[in-house]
Amino acid sequence: MSSSAIPSSSPAAKAAPNLVLGAIGVVFGDIGTSPLYTLRECLKAAGGVTQMNVFGIVSLILWAIIIVVTLKYVSFVMRADNDGEGGILALTALASGVAPARLRHLLLTLGVFGAAMFYGDSMITPAISVISAVEGVTLVDPHLTEWIVPISLVILTGLFKLQKRGTGAVGKVFGPIMIVWFATLAALGLSHIVTHAGILRAVSPVYAAAFVLHAPGTAFIVLGSVFLALTGGEALYADMGHFGKKPIRLAWLFLVLPSLILNYFGQAALVLEKPAAVAQPFFESAPGWALVPLVLLATAATIIASQAVISGAFSMTKQAVQLGFLPRIPVVHTSSHEIGQVYVPFINISLYAAVVFLVVFFKSSDNLAAAYGIAVASTMLLTTLLMYFITHCLWHWKPLATAAVIGPLALVDAVFVSSNVSKVMEGGWFPLLAGGALFTVMTTWHKGRETLMEKMKSDNLQLAPLIHSLCDGAHSPPRTNGTAVFPGGVAGMAPNAFLHNLKHNGVMHQFNIFIAGTTENVPHIADEQKAVVESLGHRCYAIAVRHGFTEIPNVPRILELAQKQMPDWQYEPADTSFFLARDTVLATGESKTMSLWREKLFAFLARNAAQAAEYYSLPANRVVEMGGQINI
C-alpha cells in the first residue's frame, strides 16, 4: 500500500513527519547539491558571462526543473507506483503486466536497460558531489588543491561504511543537516536577488526561448549542462518505496524546490554583478566570514547527495533479483516498519570501488561533469516511454490525452539525451560502459534462467506420476522419520535434490514437501494468497508460492502459512530437513537461444550466486545440499 493511502489514524500516518524528515535526508541530496556546479558549467559551455547568457540559462534551469521534476516526476510518474514501490524496474513490471503480450519482451528489455543506466549514474553521483564540495577549500587556501582527491576518498569511504546502518537511520541523521542546507541555499540566493531584483524577470520562459533562438548550436550544447540541475530527479521515484510518495511530494514542493530556485537566481544575480565569480559562483555568493562553514556544510550535503542514488540502487537490486534479472544477492532488511529499506552489501562494495576509480581517474568536478548526464537522461526517457503504456493500458486515457502528455515529455527527454551525447568522448563513456556491462549481465541471467527452466522441464520427471510409482509399487523406498522440504523447484517437476536423495540414500521421509515459487509483477502478495497446497498422496505435498518482486523468499514462513492447508502435518523446525540441489551449470554451446559466450557468462554467474540456504532464509543446521550437474 502506498503511504499516501494510509489512514490518518494509522501508526504510519502518525510517523509522517519522521518520513518527511527521512526523505529530506535521503532522497533530495543529489538534486539538492546540483547548485554547486550547474550554473558554472552552463556558463562555461555558453562561452562566458553576458546578460543574454545569464538570463537565458537561469530561465532554462527553472523551466527544466518545473517540467521534468515537478510536472513529470512529482505530479505524474509518482502516480504510477507499483503498490507503493517506485523505480524503473517497478514501473517496467507494472507496464509489462498491462501492455499487449507481443510488446512485453520489448518493455522488459527497455526497463532493464534503464535500470542498467541508473546504476551507471549511481557511480558518478557520489564522486562529483563530494569533489565539488571539497573543491571549495581552494578558495580558503589555494595550496590545498592537491588534497582534494585524498579528502574526497576519506569522506566517501566513511559514507559507504555507514550504509549498513540502513536508510532510515541514515535519513534521521541526515534530515536535519539537509534542512539547514536548503535554508542556506535559499538565504544565499535571496541575499543577491535583493540587490539585483531584475534577475527575477528570467522567470519568464521568453528569456529561455530567446537564448535558444539566438544561438541554437550553443544552446544545444548548454542544455547538456542545464541537465545537471535535474540529476537526482529519477531518485525521487526510485526511493519512493523507502518513504512513500506523500512525504517526498511535501518535501519537494515546500522546501526543496523553492530553495533551489532561489539559489540559482541568486547565483545568476551575483555573476551579473561580479563576472569574475563565475569560476565558483556558489561559494563566491557567501560572505568571506561564512566561507569555511559553507565548505563544511556543502561537504556534509554532498555526502548526503550520494545517499539518494545508493539507496535507490539497493532498492533496484532487490527488485532485479526477484524479477529474475540478477543472480541471488544477499539483501539485508534494515527496518521492521518500512519494507523498502534495505542494504545490499555486494552492491555497496561494487559502487564504492567504482566511485574510488572515478575520483582517482577524473580528479575534478569539471572533468566529472563531462561524464555526467548521459546515463540518467537515458533512464528518464525510458521512464516516459513506459508511462505511455501506464496511461494508455492501465489508466485507460483517451489516445489524444495520452499523446498530449507523453509526447511533450518524451520530446524534452529526447532533447536532453541528444545534448548529452556530446559528452560521450569526454567521459560519458564510463557510465555507458558500466551500464552496458550491467545490461549484458542482466539480460544474460534472465535468458539463462529461462533456458535452464526449459532444460529442467524436458529432462526431469513429472512429480505426481513419480510419487505414485514410488509409493504404490511393491518396492517402494523405506520411509524415515521427519519432514523433507525441497525448495526452489519447477512446478510439476521432480526436483534434482529429491532424485539425488533417492539415488544416494534410498529413502523417503515420512512427509515430503515440494515448493515451487513464481514472482508476480506486484511488490507484495498477501499472506492468504501466497501459498496454495496440492496433495500428491502418500503424505507428499506440492506448494505453489507467489512472491512480490520486493519480497525475499522465506521458506520457514511459507511452511507456517501452508500448514493450515495440510491437516495431517504441522511444521516442527527440529524435525524438518531442507534439501537443496547444488547444481553446477556447464556451458556446452548446444543452446539454440544463447551463444557460447553467454552460456559461459551465465554459468559463471550461477556458480557465484549467493547460497540458496541464505536466500531462502533456511536454518543452517537443517540444510542438506546434494551436488549435481546441468548442461545447457
Side-chain angles (χ1 to χ4, degrees), residues 174-322:
F174 287 171
I177 299 174
M178 290 307 293
I179 289 177
V180 174
W181 170 254
F182 286 117
T184 302
L185 290 183
L188 290 175
L190 277 172
S191 69
H192 294 284
I193 291 173
V194 295
T195 61
H196 202 298
I199 193 63
L200 293 177
R201 298 199 308 272
V203 168
S204 169
V206 170
Y207 288 92
F211 176 75
V212 172
L213 294 173
H214 178 260
T218 300
F220 183 75
I221 300 299
V222 169
L223 282 172
S225 297
V226 169
F227 187 77
L228 295 173
L230 309 177
T231 55
E234 181 76 14
L236 273 66
Y237 183 53
D239 282 343
M240 192 165 60
H242 290 245
F243 301 101
K245 64 175 73 171
K246 189 174 182 179
I248 292 174
R249 283 173 168 165
L250 289 173
W252 172 256
L253 293 173
F254 293 101
L255 176 65
V256 181
L257 175 62
S259 301
L260 289 174
I261 298 307
L262 286 172
N263 192 263
Y264 282 123
F265 274 70
Q267 287 189 47
L270 171 66
V271 296
L272 283 174
E273 183 180 339
K274 182 183 174 185
V278 71
Q280 284 284 9
F282 176 80
F283 289 108
E284 291 281 3
S285 65
W289 60 267
L291 184 57
V292 172
L294 183 59
V295 170
L296 295 176
L297 179 60
T299 302
T302 53
I303 292 171
I304 298 165
S306 309
Q307 186 63 53
V309 290
I310 295 172
S311 56
F314 290 163
S315 296
M316 190 170 294
T317 299
K318 183 179 70 168
Q319 296 172 15
V321 170
Q322 284 303 99

Side-chain angles (χ1 to χ4, degrees), residues 588-609:
T588 63
E590 297 176 359
S591 171
K592 297 179 181 179
T593 57
M594 296 178 67
S595 58
L596 179 59
W597 71 268
R598 295 190 77 184
E599 287 183 13
K600 290 181 177 181
L601 175 58
F602 176 73
F604 172 80
L605 294 172
R607 286 195 300 272
N608 290 278

Side-chain angles (χ1 to χ4, degrees), residues 8-63:
S8 59
S9 60
S10 72
K14 294 178 182 177
N18 287 334
L19 290 176
V20 173
L21 182 65
I24 293 171
V26 172
V27 178
F28 299 102
D30 186 4
I31 197 167
T33 52
S34 295
L36 284 167
Y37 46 79
T38 297
L39 188 67
R40 178 192 73 197
E41 295 301 318
C42 289
L43 288 170
K44 185 168 70 173
V49 177
T50 67
Q51 182 160 314
M52 173 170 279
N53 286 352
V54 174
F55 271 75
I57 287 171
V58 78
S59 184
L60 280 171
I61 291 174
L62 167 66
W63 286 100

